[in-house]
Amino acid sequence: MIISTGTASGKSLAYLTPAVASCLDGGTILYLTPTKALAADQLRGLRELRITQLRAACFDGDTPFEERTWVRQHANYVLTNPDMLHRSILPRHAQWSSFFRRLRMVVVDECHGYRGVFGSHVAQILRRLRRVCARYGSRPTFLLASATASEPGVFGMRLTGLEMDEVTVDASPKGSTTIALWEPPLTELRGEGGAPVRRTATAEAADLLADLVLADVRTLAFVRSRRGAETVALTARAKLADVAFSLSTRHPRPTTTHPPNTAKPTTHHPSTAEPTTHHPSTAEPTTHHPSTAEPTLAQPSTAEPTTHQPSTAELTAANHQPHTAERARTAQPTPLEADPFLSHQPGAAELTSPTMPGPSRTTAGLSTTDSAVGTSEHEGPATEPTSESSLTWALPDAPAHPDWTDLPNKIAAYRAGYLAEDRRLLEKALRSGTIMGLATTNALELGVDVSGLDAVLIAGWPGTRASLWQQAGRAGRDGQDALAVLIARDDPLDTYLVHHPQALFGQPVEAIVLDPDNPYVLGPHLCAAAAEIPLTVDDLPIFGTTTSTVLDDLVSQGLLRRRPAGWFWTKRERATDLADIRGGGGAPIQVVESSTGRLLGSVDEPSAHTTVHTGAVYIHQGETFLVELLDLEAGVALVSSATPDFTTFARDITDISILSTQRSHPLGPGTLHFGEVEVTRQVVSYLKRRLQSGEMLGDEPLDLPPRTLRTRAVWWTLPASAVAPLAEAGIDLGGAAHAAEHASIGLLPLFATCDRWDIGGVSTELHADTGLLTVFVYDGHEGGAGFAERGYARATDWLTATREAITSCECERGCPSCIQSPKCGNGNEPLDKRGAIRLLNTLLSPQ
């Protein structure tokens, strides 16, 4: 069974009720989750039930070794993750024999997170689990819970290998959510090729987070990377520190001049008379566009005593009073507006949100003419001046914040890599209100109970519509109205979405893409399965139709040995080490501080070329390091502590050759293909960009070995007769194809559940294997991940959206929002924006 409904719709109750009943009846339950945070949150909820017969326990990397024996022998409700199931529980299944004999149900929570290569690995782990259960005579029910997904039954069957019933009707009560699509303004700075630079999403998110926390609005800010989460938190804390310093010097804590206000609500719940908001679950394709005529909060009169600061209750009450034209004319600015940090007057172009919890005002306090610059998308803290965002409308009164210096402590970062006890403390502080703002990666996207949130900021498209609604659903979980702001990055897909909201609203969510038959995924798990219990012919249907072929390859490689009774693992090494379920294969690179020998962390080997190359900026738990040396043979990257004013981006060059064509069909005057390719990539240099502005500082060469990847790709070709008129019109065909390739990579995540960093591309005016103008987009994982195949299936929609994204961008010659790529090894040269539009028009023209 798969339950695929929206956030806070009661999925947990749906599986918890039969699970607890099974435990009371003598059975056991295995609960799987993608993250430790969700497992810890579920354990807290189970213990709050106070049922003595329910012996629930987490079994993951944070579980002390002395507790693990107790869990194996006594727990009847075990919460774990696919990694622990793969590396510990299944290989040691004999130690879990009592648990497996009584196993009644396997709960796979937040299963929409199992996509791409990671999802393909999890699919094979679940097949191994089914096989071990059969060994001990149990046939557990698999109950999957997912955010809304397209064709959830089909996805559930591919994930588990079992027939799947689906529940998709969501009748749970919900408050309304205002969705704001926010595009940062272009600055006067220039990047590669003189392209305009847009203010970064992380800088905008930091401003918004500081504003909302000052307004006592409990907020989560989702950021794409760990480094970005640290950046947003540090920058927002710095802004609050500036405000706190100004308030403590200009408005020290007052003595008892008036009694404290006892009616001090912390959040504002919009009345039913306010404008309606967009419900993501509905089919309406419209979004809320606030009118400039909507009232804003008038400032208190200067006739008030200057020693008195209005309380939150007073300001909230004032917010409910009629905002007549007369009142607006007579309102005077407060003395606080003399403060340089609190001097902004909202511009007419700013976005207002009448349903935002807390006092009504402009959402961010940044007009479209702001020229302030912020941090680059993947870097450390910014030192830019605080943008002019007057918050006098929401300043907390003295009794609420007796110590202004404590304001920055209202914001923290949360991400994977923190110690378990630190993560639990942060979750508890957010629930209690000790922390009002949290900048996080998608570690808190999944169903952790952080009820009481009022707003969510999403810095950059999260990859899928399902993730967007999942993150937006973190706010308003206890039925309150909520605000969600999607802040566009300098990226073709983000630009397309803010200019085409119909692509978000009223559209079904994406199908979840995974490929469990990928031989590079299946092979290691067949070895692991043989090491657990020797494989027999009867086991082959469990693992898929390609199992026989892959087994023959494993035997020829000497990894398995064929005997009359089946296939056996004969190596001394652990078979589970062959499958790196979250990485890209290869031994991880250890990141070591050179001066102390301290191990900071590890990076998977394929990523090391781009993240810890010599000269790279590396951030670990808020500390910034420079990579002194990357030694691939020793598997070590040596780093030293530093505070550079720049960030780095690796660039590579790529060659591609076609190994086989599996499918083809006409597309306009050209042809669309899908098949197997071999990609040779080499990181050749890295860009240095200034932290505060994104300004280009240089392109430093690197000497790293090439990497070869056998994968799958989608590609299209155009014959000479179709491109000749374009060449005659003076269009640079190579630049046009290059620009179309960059933009199509940026837009594919709208149609396949992937990130642009999961895929790559190559374009050429004349490819050696086709003899024609050819544009490739390939999966960046060995054997393929299903993304290119999804692009082949949705090619017309995908390439049409690509053309519209280029056309709608406001730049003249091309910029990172449309055709420039941060990972282009050719320095984004040549690129022809006008030519890309003409080229795609030709390809998509009806024949």
Side-chain angles (χ1 to χ4, degrees):
M1 172 70 71
I2 181 169
I3 303 172
S4 179
T5 53
T7 307
S9 57
K11 294 189 293 291
S12 297
L13 186 62
Y15 61 71
L16 194 59
T17 303
V20 172
S22 296
C23 290
L24 297 178
D25 197 31
T28 58
I29 301 297
L30 182 65
Y31 172 93
L32 291 176
T33 172
T35 66
K36 296 176 184 177
L38 181 52
D41 185 71
Q42 287 287 318
L43 179 62
R44 180 181 57 83
L46 288 167
R47 288 177 174 171
E48 287 176 353
L49 296 176
R50 300 187 180 277
I51 300 175
T52 55
Q53 300 98 317
L54 182 64
R55 299 182 299 278
C58 282
F59 191 86
D60 55 32
D62 294 337
T63 306
F65 282 94
E66 57 271 17
E67 292 183 16
R68 297 188 180 189
T69 301
W70 183 93
V71 175
R72 285 195 296 266
Q73 295 177 353
H74 302 291
N76 57 7
Y77 197 118
V78 174
L79 303 99
T80 188
N81 50 57
D83 311 73
M84 208 67 176
L85 187 63
H86 165 62
R87 291 191 170 274
S88 179
I89 296 176
L90 292 178
R92 298 181 175 90
H93 58 84
Q95 299 176 4
W96 292 82
S97 58
S98 175
F99 180 86
F100 281 125
R101 284 192 184 97
R102 297 178 292 130
L103 187 60
R104 303 281 183 83
M105 181 184 294
V106 177
V107 178
V108 186
D109 201 3
E110 304 292 355
C111 63
H112 58 279
Y114 302 129
R115 60 179 184 258
V117 173
F118 177 48
S120 302
H121 278 291
V122 173
Q124 293 299 343
I125 292 170
L126 293 179
R127 286 159 173 77
R128 286 163 50 200
L129 172 62
R130 289 171 47 206
R131 187 166 168 266
V132 167
C133 290
R135 169 70 176 265
Y136 293 99
S138 64
R139 294 188 60 189
T141 299
F142 280 74
L143 200 158
L144 281 57
S146 166
T148 305
S150 175
E151 300 179 336
V154 174
F155 161 68
M157 186 169 63
R158 288 180 65 81
L159 186 65
T160 63
L162 298 169
E163 291 294 328
M164 195 71 48
D165 287 330
E166 60 182 38
V167 175
T168 57
V169 177
D170 183 355
S172 59
K174 287 181 172 62
S176 59
T177 301
T178 299
I179 306 290
L181 303 180
W182 186 283
E183 184 175 44
L186 290 171
T187 68
E188 296 180 356
L189 298 170
R190 290 292 179 265
E192 286 186 290
V197 175
R198 194 175 296 279
R199 195 166 190 261
T200 63
T202 50
E204 296 283 276
D207 282 353
L208 286 166
L209 183 59
D211 285 9
L212 290 165
V213 168
L214 272 171
D216 280 336
V217 176
R218 202 171 302 179
T219 306
L220 266 184
F222 285 103
V223 192
R224 295 296 303 275
S225 66
R226 296 181 180 185
R227 185 188 298 185
E230 298 276 8
T231 297
V232 169
L234 289 170
T235 308
R237 285 168 63 94
K239 293 178 184 298
L240 290 188
D242 290 338
V243 174
F245 174 77
S246 176
L247 291 175
S248 61
T249 55
R250 295 175 180 272
H251 307 282
R253 181 181 178 181
T255 56
T256 55
T257 55
H258 48 273
N261 193 327
T262 57
K264 201 166 59 173
T266 57
T267 57
H268 164 62
H269 300 279
S271 68
T272 54
E274 290 176 327
T276 57
T277 57
H278 176 77
H279 298 269
S281 60
T282 66
E284 297 175 5
T286 59
T287 57
H288 172 71
H289 297 279
S291 165
T292 54
E294 289 173 350
T296 55
L297 178 64
Q299 304 291 345
S301 168
T302 51
E304 296 178 6
T306 57
T307 58
H308 169 67
Q309 292 188 51
S311 69
T312 305
E314 291 168 357
L315 287 167
T316 304
N319 191 46
H320 284 283
Q321 297 174 7
H323 292 262
T324 61
E326 180 63 28
R327 183 174 174 224
R329 283 194 299 270
T330 57
Q332 300 295 325
T334 66
L336 292 179
E337 288 181 329
D339 194 305
F341 295 106
L342 304 170
S343 58
H344 175 71
Q345 293 297 317
E350 294 176 312
L351 178 65
T352 60
S353 177
T355 58
M356 186 182 89
S360 176
R361 81 174 281 268
T362 59
T363 303
L366 283 172
S367 71
T368 55
T369 58
D370 259 323
S371 60
V373 293
T375 64
S376 181
E377 190 59 31
H378 302 282
E379 71 281 357
T383 56
E384 59 174 302
T386 304
S387 61
E388 299 178 349
S389 51
S390 172
L391 297 167
T392 57
W393 51 275
L395 288 174
D397 58 7
H401 293 282
D403 185 4
W404 294 113
T405 59
D406 191 53
L407 271 177
N409 296 329
K410 295 288 185 181
I411 291 178
Y414 181 105
R415 63 170 177 81
Y418 286 177
L419 296 176
E421 53 266 30
D422 293 339
R423 295 197 302 269
R424 302 296 91 80
L425 286 173
L426 286 169
E427 294 162 18
K428 182 178 180 181
L430 184 64
R431 282 191 293 268
S432 67
T434 306
I435 288 177
M436 294 295 293
L438 206 58
T440 178
T441 59
N442 62 358
L444 284 179
E445 172 186 326
L446 305 178
V448 178
D449 183 9
V450 284
S451 58
L453 294 178
D454 303 309
V456 164
L457 307 175
I458 304 169
W461 172 244
T464 65
R465 296 184 193 92
S467 289
L468 175 71
W469 302 133
Q470 190 77 4
Q471 292 182 5
R474 294 301 97 186
R477 284 178 64 87
D478 55 358
Q480 299 180 28
D481 291 346
L483 168 71
V485 184
L486 173 61
I487 307 167
R489 293 180 303 162
D490 220 0
D491 180 89
L493 178 53
D494 292 45
T495 302
Y496 175 81
L497 291 173
V498 295
H499 289 279
H500 299 82
Q502 66 274 13
L504 287 178
F505 304 111
Q507 296 293 324
V509 296
E510 305 85 352
I512 301 173
V513 176
L514 71 159
D515 183 14
D517 296 328
N518 180 340
Y520 295 93
V521 171
L522 177 57
H525 288 286
L526 288 175
C527 291
E532 291 155 8
I533 307 167
L535 285 166
T536 66
V537 175
D538 293 338
D539 294 326
L540 302 190
I542 295 177
F543 293 98
T545 56
T546 61
T547 305
S548 297
T549 304
V550 176
L551 280 174
D552 292 340
D553 291 339
L554 296 174
V555 171
S556 65
Q557 295 172 36
L559 293 173
L560 293 181
R561 183 170 297 172
R562 178 73 187 269
R563 290 285 183 261
W567 291 264
F568 292 78
W569 172 255
T570 59
K571 301 286 185 180
R572 288 175 174 242
E573 297 81 10
R574 286 167 49 92
T576 53
D577 291 339
L578 294 176
D580 181 9
I581 70 172
R582 292 185 189 258
I589 302 297
Q590 306 297 319
V591 182
V592 178
E593 189 173 19
S594 58
S595 59
T596 64
R598 177 168 60 119
L599 178 63
L600 298 178
S602 61
V603 178
D604 60 275
E605 195 271 340
S607 300
H609 290 236
T610 57
T611 57
V612 288
H613 56 77
T614 301
V617 175
Y618 179 79
I619 293 184
H620 176 75
Q621 294 190 1
E623 294 183 74
T624 307
F625 299 87
L626 273 179
V627 179
E628 298 176 352
L629 176 68
L630 171 61
D631 189 336
L632 292 172
E633 291 185 3
V636 173
L638 298 177
V639 302
S640 58
S641 181
T643 55
D645 65 343
F646 60 86
T647 187
T648 55
F649 296 85
R651 316 184 82 156
D652 58 36
I653 56 174
T654 307
D655 290 322
I656 193 167
S657 59
I658 300 171
L659 301 180
S660 65
T661 301
Q662 298 176 3
R663 276 169 271 169
S664 299
H665 69 74
L667 182 64
T671 308
L672 186 75
H673 306 270
F674 171 74
E676 190 175 3
V677 297
E678 184 174 84
V679 180
T680 302
R681 298 175 57 200
Q682 183 176 17
V683 175
V684 294
S685 67
Y686 66 94
L687 294 179
K688 296 168 67 175
R689 289 181 179 169
R690 193 175 299 281
L691 273 177
Q692 296 89 343
S693 62
E695 177 188 0
M696 285 282 301
L697 297 179
D699 191 351
E700 303 291 335
L702 288 171
D703 183 18
L704 288 169
R707 294 181 53 84
T708 301
L709 178 73
R710 289 174 69 99
T711 185
R712 295 176 181 178
V714 55
W715 65 94
W716 51 268
T717 59
L718 279 174
S721 58
V723 299
L726 302 180
E728 293 171 0
I731 289 174
D732 178 0
L733 293 178
H738 194 196
E741 172 222 324
H742 282 181
S744 60
I745 290 173
L747 267 292
L748 183 56
L750 187 62
F751 302 92
T753 48
C754 66
D755 186 272
R756 72 176 295 165
W757 300 93
D758 291 326
I759 51 181
V762 176
S763 59
T764 175
E765 186 176 347
L766 187 66
H767 191 266
D769 293 337
T770 65
L772 303 170
L773 183 147
T774 311
V775 175
F776 295 86
V777 175
Y778 62 86
D779 292 343
H781 299 273
E782 197 74 37
F787 307 138
E789 187 172 14
R790 189 70 181 172
Y792 178 85
R794 299 286 305 277
T796 301
D797 295 336
W798 166 38
L799 295 173
T800 300
T802 300
R803 178 184 61 187
E804 292 178 1
I806 302 173
T807 305
S808 63
C809 186
E810 57 194 288
C811 70
E812 293 183 7
R813 299 178 53 200
C815 70
S817 294
C818 56
I819 61 173
Q820 287 191 351
S821 170
K823 57 179 184 175
C824 178
N826 296 320
N828 283 302
E829 290 291 343
L831 290 176
D832 186 340
K833 178 178 179 177
R834 183 174 64 91
I837 297 172
R838 291 279 302 273
L839 190 66
L840 289 169
N841 282 338
T842 301
L843 179 68
L844 296 169
S845 60
Q847 294 297 303

